[in-house]
Amino acid sequence: DSQRILINFVGIIMGATTVATESTPAIPAYTASPPKTKGTNSIDTIFRHLSDEQIEIAARSSYRYLVSSTNGNASEEDRDKHAKAMIFRYLQAEQKVHPNSPSEQWEAAALDKMKKTLAFRVEKNVDDIRLCFDKTHSSSSSENEEEKKADDSYEEEKRKERTRIRKGLEDRFQNGASVVRGYTKDGRALFLNFPRTETSWNEEFFIAGNIYTIERALACTERNTDGEKSKIVVMYDYNEYAMKNSPPTQLVKKLLYNLRDHWPERLEHVFVVDAPFIFRAFWAVIKHFIDPITKDLVQFVTGEEMKRKVFSEIVSEEHATPWMLAEGKNAEDADMQKYLRDIPFDYAYGEKFSDPI
């Protein structure tokens, strides 16, 4: 059992970060008008190999674009910009893995992996997972009677599927296992995890729940920084963790492969807070065999002195919980029904918003 816990724990850390073999200088962050560089040429090369349907799916990795597209307000220029932003992330990841290889190699690898991700997002109903609690967006407005009947039938199927997903996510999160709450000082959403709260797992919604939360954290970051930031910060609070809180190894592995393959270049930091000593000891040994990129992303933070030193630099008191900073203002338990049903998807728990949904 101890071995299983360690495998799961290390897997969570490894799977949530970009796999790479050596560290290289980062290429410039993607903007709406990227510089004319070799990287830009690679973006255009991959873009030309995608179908219109694939471009639309890629663009919808942006929650901002998903909403505008669902409402029929998206422009082709906006679509292409967001699709190319996704391409850029995959190119970044491959350049880090193969820094000394010709561009054709990492272009081909990025294209292959991105196409698999686009298929994955359709298969896992990522759009429905993000919109299942939404009360405002509908997708059809045809004036043709035949098309309207088909659209109505499609909408009914969508409603049924979103109702099913909604129920599954409510069950998944009723114990408060994960929540998007607070931001770093530079505007990145905090994806908070509480392993101690879980003792049973439904495979479909264990995966879907993690998709929901990482996508929500990304949506919050996109809105909060007006698209300037594209990475989030993940924290695991291991206080009161016990053996019974360790999910089945195969289930964790499945999740980790998904995180590794389908969300590259999305994590800024992974903080493991107050982990059991055996975890910290194990990490002290294996970190020497882990690539520098992953190793730099992961940080164990234990004890009040170390937490103050680390977290006071990145999180203000207003956004911190007491297990991050003793004077953290986010102290009360999250109301998960409110979080899921009443707060917009691109707002964190406890964040004020002006427009009712």
Side-chain angles (χ1 to χ4, degrees), residues 243-310:
M243 193 174 295
K244 65 182 180 180
N245 304 123
S246 181
T249 301
Q250 289 303 321
L251 185 57
V252 174
K253 285 181 179 178
K254 190 171 185 178
L255 169 65
L256 302 181
Y257 288 137
N258 289 341
L259 291 173
R260 181 195 65 189
D261 295 341
H262 303 308
W263 283 274
E265 294 297 307
R266 286 304 214 176
L267 298 189
E268 182 71 9
H269 294 292
V270 177
F271 292 107
V272 185
V273 182
D274 292 331
F277 172 77
I278 191 172
F279 288 2
R280 288 178 275 135
F282 191 59
W283 177 257
V285 174
I286 69 165
K287 69 179 182 180
H288 300 293
F289 304 98
I290 295 174
D291 65 272
I293 296 172
T294 298
K295 187 166 62 176
D296 288 345
L297 282 176
V298 178
Q299 186 170 358
F300 280 68
V301 183
T302 305
E304 295 304 317
E305 183 178 347
M306 188 175 186
K307 283 189 276 190
R308 177 172 296 280
K309 179 180 179 182
V310 173

Side-chain angles (χ1 to χ4, degrees), residues 221-260:
T221 299
E222 180 181 32
R223 179 198 54 77
N224 191 50
T225 67
D226 197 25
E228 290 186 7
K229 306 290 184 185
S230 61
K231 294 183 179 182
I232 62 175
V233 171
V234 180
M235 295 189 180
Y236 291 91
D237 174 15
Y238 269 90
N239 283 289
E240 301 177 36
Y241 180 82
M243 193 174 295
K244 65 182 180 180
N245 304 123
S246 181
T249 301
Q250 289 303 321
L251 185 57
V252 174
K253 285 181 179 178
K254 190 171 185 178
L255 169 65
L256 302 181
Y257 288 137
N258 289 341
L259 291 173
R260 181 195 65 189

Side-chain angles (χ1 to χ4, degrees), residues 19-35:
V19 176
T21 54
E22 59 182 290
S23 180
T24 58
I27 51 183
Y30 180 82
T31 63
S33 301

Side-chain angles (χ1 to χ4, degrees), residues 98-316:
H98 307 291
N100 300 316
S101 300
S103 61
E104 291 80 6
Q105 179 174 332
W106 39 261
E107 285 173 6
L111 176 61
D112 178 64
K113 291 180 179 180
M114 184 171 167
K115 284 185 173 182
K116 289 177 179 176
T117 290
L118 299 178
F120 172 88
R121 293 182 74 87
V122 173
E123 177 193 349
K124 296 300 182 183
N125 294 324
V126 174
D127 289 356
D128 287 334
I129 288 173
R130 290 184 288 175
L131 294 174
C132 68
F133 291 99
D134 190 277
K135 302 171 184 175
T136 61
H137 305 125
S138 181
S139 56
S140 175
S141 59
S142 175
E143 296 181 3
N144 180 285
E145 192 62 31
E146 290 292 325
E147 290 181 356
K148 188 174 186 306
K149 287 181 180 179
D151 289 343
D152 288 345
S153 176
Y154 174 79
E155 288 295 327
E156 180 60 26
E157 289 302 311
K158 277 291 181 188
R159 281 191 289 271
K160 289 180 180 179
E161 177 62 9
R162 289 180 185 176
T163 297
R164 188 188 71 83
I165 294 172
R166 189 162 57 243
K167 175 63 167 61
L169 291 176
E170 286 178 328
D171 291 344
R172 167 76 170 83
F173 291 125
Q174 64 181 337
N175 56 8
S178 300
V179 67
V180 179
R181 187 174 191 176
Y183 295 88
T184 60
K185 291 180 179 179
D186 63 354
R188 304 177 196 275
L190 302 178
F191 176 172
L192 309 184
N193 296 275
F194 307 94
R196 64 178 175 273
T197 65
E198 298 193 272
T199 56
S200 62
W201 300 269
N202 171 286
E203 179 174 341
E204 178 184 357
F205 286 101
F206 178 75
I207 301 296
N210 279 278
I211 291 174
Y212 176 89
T213 312
I214 193 170
E215 288 288 340
R216 184 160 182 170
L218 291 168
C220 289
T221 299
E222 180 181 32
R223 179 198 54 77
N224 191 50
T225 67
D226 197 25
E228 290 186 7
K229 306 290 184 185
S230 61
K231 294 183 179 182
I232 62 175
V233 171
V234 180
M235 295 189 180
Y236 291 91
D237 174 15
Y238 269 90
N239 283 289
E240 301 177 36
Y241 180 82
M243 193 174 295
K244 65 182 180 180
N245 304 123
S246 181
T249 301
Q250 289 303 321
L251 185 57
V252 174
K253 285 181 179 178
K254 190 171 185 178
L255 169 65
L256 302 181
Y257 288 137
N258 289 341
L259 291 173
R260 181 195 65 189
D261 295 341
H262 303 308
W263 283 274
E265 294 297 307
R266 286 304 214 176
L267 298 189
E268 182 71 9
H269 294 292
V270 177
F271 292 107
V272 185
V273 182
D274 292 331
F277 172 77
I278 191 172
F279 288 2
R280 288 178 275 135
F282 191 59
W283 177 257
V285 174
I286 69 165
K287 69 179 182 180
H288 300 293
F289 304 98
I290 295 174
D291 65 272
I293 296 172
T294 298
K295 187 166 62 176
D296 288 345
L297 282 176
V298 178
Q299 186 170 358
F300 280 68
V301 183
T302 305
E304 295 304 317
E305 183 178 347
M306 188 175 186
K307 283 189 276 190
R308 177 172 296 280
K309 179 180 179 182
V310 173
F311 294 140
S312 63
E313 292 294 319
I314 65 168
V315 185
S316 68

